[in-house]
Amino acid sequence: MSARTQSAGTSRAEFMRAANDELTKFERREREFRKNDRDERAKTLQLPVEKYDTEDWRARKPSSLLHRT
């Protein structure tokens, strides 16, 4: 493999790694923004804010005893 081809592959790999890191940071900020926005709207509407398990965000845990099943 020529030096130019190897250099291009390395540059692309570095670019993809940086792009992936930026996307991960953006997704984290977006999730935090949505959570804060949702909580703020719930507080404005005086709705109970639901708690989510950090390990499994799909598991809903109601914040009040009124939601027991």
Side-chain angles (χ1 to χ4, degrees):
M1 181 181 274
S2 69
R4 182 175 176 180
T5 306
Q6 188 176 12
S7 174
T10 302
S11 297
R12 183 179 187 287
E14 289 174 7
F15 171 77
M16 292 303 291
R17 188 176 305 113
N20 190 32
D21 290 346
E22 288 298 317
L23 181 60
T24 302
K25 290 177 192 175
F26 173 77
E27 289 173 340
R28 188 175 300 124
R29 286 192 313 262
E30 182 69 16
R31 279 192 306 270
E32 187 64 28
F33 172 78
R34 287 183 181 192
K35 178 187 174 292
N36 291 339
D37 185 50
R38 182 179 58 242
D39 292 348
E40 185 179 312
R41 283 184 285 130
K43 186 181 289 185
T44 303
L45 297 172
Q46 298 179 349
L47 299 173
V49 177
E50 294 181 359
K51 305 277 188 219
Y52 292 95
D53 188 357
T54 55
E55 292 181 17
D56 187 3
W57 60 270
R58 294 167 295 183
R60 302 182 96 183
K61 295 183 179 177
S63 57
S64 72
L65 299 176
L66 298 175
H67 292 97
R68 282 193 167 172
T69 56

